[in-house]
Amino acid sequence: MLEHLELFFKSIFIDNMVFAVFLGMCSYLAVSKKVSTAVGLGAAVIFVLAVTVPMNWLLDQYVLQPGALAWLGEEFVDYDLSFLSFILFIATIATMVQLVEIVVEKFAPALYNSLGIFLPLIAVNCAILGGSLFMQAREIPSLALAFNYGVSSGIGWFLAIVAIAAIREKIRYSAVPAPLRGLGITFIITGLMGIGFQSFGGMLTGDNEPPLVEETVVEAAEFEAPITSDELNELTGLEAEETPDAEETIASIN
Amino acid sequence: MGLLSKKDAKLVLDPLADNNPITIQVLGICSALAITAELKASLVMAFSVLFVLGAGNVVISLLRNVIPSKIRIIVQLVVVATLVIIVDQVLKAFAYELSKTLSVFVGLIITNCIIMGRFEAFALGNGPWKSFLDGIGNALGYGVILVIIGFFRELLGSGTLLGNAVLGDPIAKTGLYAYGYENNGFMIIPPAALIVVGIIIWVQRSRNPQLIEEA
């Protein structure tokens, strides 16, 4: 349960699709002029991610990974089809988007009308393929977690596009320098929002990211390396009583 | 450009500035920003897109009379995905470290809007030679922006270019660092890329007021 909660918050805030890895920027910039359309596209992205990430997780586990074909029989154990990931993932996504479109049109016409043209566009939204590729790269261990990852990444993207759409609606009344109007200021605002989201990075600093901690320790050690001779004197002086070798070093320095 | 007629030259040169895919057409931002913290990764990404877009435009242009318009998106995706797999395998074979840095962003060339955009807007209606030039031009326009962003982010953020220390050594305090210069760690974090692109757009539009958007 805890890992679900952790993944959920991590995907929404820390590894936010837009602010941390820049996925789905094209539609993020193009469809964020009005809040209502932004909500529609955001909802469609959550929906499609929730369907395609678990689908591609199954594909990855049972077809693509090295040794994944073992369920077919002994002779398939050595097969490694991972180079086919891109083409299979994008095929799943394109097909699923078509399928979702047909199903939604049949059973929920109201939702279909509100999503409108956004559904077919989503097939080529990098957030969707990116969701599947990151799921593969991060080796998400179970189907339930993959579903969680899909939904929470979608929510993160939804938050980002609704927030920028609201800001863009308001910014129309501000005196933006002419060359920055439109695209330029949107980029800069997104950058500033991204810096804000960076602060969420401190939220989950448990034992889940040991390599990061190690790196900072190494960096710190490197920074301490160039000490002045006075500091060295102090340091070796302090250690003098504890280690016999230190007396020699003090002598050599003096 | 003696080799190319005036029209052909325009196909290549226009996307470099006044019709740039990133700053004017707003295509292909996704992969453009995440990998530009280092100049080397930017260059590799630019070359990968150059290959995929040049070759892809030719393939689509050759097939343009056989592809039924209803399923053209799927056909385009298959063509791009095949080319991207080639790029990915080549990178893994000859530049493994770099392919780790680029990670999923090589795969994301598939959904790079520049590629689908050029297929739709140009290759489906023009011959192979023109499509090739259009592909090269747009990929170069994309590459130029990538290299500019990568140059500034690496220079200001780490004080290096292509991994070579150009401003001196921050630890031994040589070069500029001897005068109290510090690396700007801000340039390394992802949001800085967005702000750098914003500034590039600002500069470009101040120089060419025709590009300014209506409020």
Side-chain angles (χ1 to χ4, degrees), chain A residues 22-23 26 83 126 178 183 191 195, chain B residues 23 30 89 108 113 186 190-191 213:
Chain A
F22 309 110
L23 294 181
C26 303
F83 68 94
C126 7
L183 193 57
I195 294 170
Chain B
T23 59
C30 325
Q89 297 292 317
L108 286 174
C113 332
F186 170 71
E213 288 173 43

Side-chain angles (χ1 to χ4, degrees), chain B residues 69-105:
Chain B
S69 69
K70 270 191 178 167
I71 59 158
R72 66 178 194 286
I73 302 271
I74 306 242
V75 175
Q76 289 164 4
L77 282 176
V78 171
V79 171
V80 191
T82 317
L83 291 167
V84 170
I85 289 176
I86 296 174
V87 169
D88 186 48
Q89 297 292 317
V90 169
L91 277 184
K92 273 188 185 144
F94 295 106
Y96 188 71
E97 287 303 313
L98 212 59
S99 81
K100 279 285 159 216
T101 323
L102 292 173
S103 72
V104 303
F105 291 97

Side-chain angles (χ1 to χ4, degrees), chain A residues 20-23 25-26 29 83 86-87 90 124 126 129-130 133-134 178-183 187 190-191 194-195 198 226, chain B residues 23 26 28-30 33-34 81 85 88-89 104-105 107-108 110-111 113 171 186 190-191 194 201-202 205-206 212-213 215:
Chain A
V21 280
F22 309 110
L23 294 181
M25 286 300 285
C26 303
L29 291 167
F83 68 94
F86 296 156
I87 209 161
I90 197 72
V124 283
C126 7
L129 182 64
L133 289 177
F134 271 116
L180 266 181
R181 235 180 262 153
L183 193 57
F187 267 107
T190 311
I195 294 170
Q198 288 271 312
Chain B
T23 59
V26 210
I29 318 279
C30 325
L33 301 174
I85 289 176
D88 186 48
Q89 297 292 317
V104 303
F105 291 97
L108 286 174
I110 298 173
T111 47
C113 332
I171 294 166
F186 170 71
L194 287 161
I201 292 173
W202 193 356
R205 292 187 184 184
S206 315
I212 292 176
E213 288 173 43

Side-chain angles (χ1 to χ4, degrees), chain A residues 196-220:
Chain A
F197 265 70
Q198 288 271 312
S199 59
F200 286 115
M203 228 166 55
L204 295 176
T205 46
D207 44 0
N208 56 336
E209 284 166 279
L212 204 72
V213 177
E214 273 173 28
E215 267 175 31
T216 48
V217 167
V218 171
E219 272 171 34

Side-chain angles (χ1 to χ4, degrees), chain A residues 1-11 145 148 204:
Chain A
M1 195 58 220
L2 196 65
E3 54 184 6
H4 275 277
L5 210 63
E6 190 180 315
L7 184 72
F8 189 75
F9 281 106
K10 211 175 159 192
S11 327
L145 277 173
N148 181 342
L204 295 176

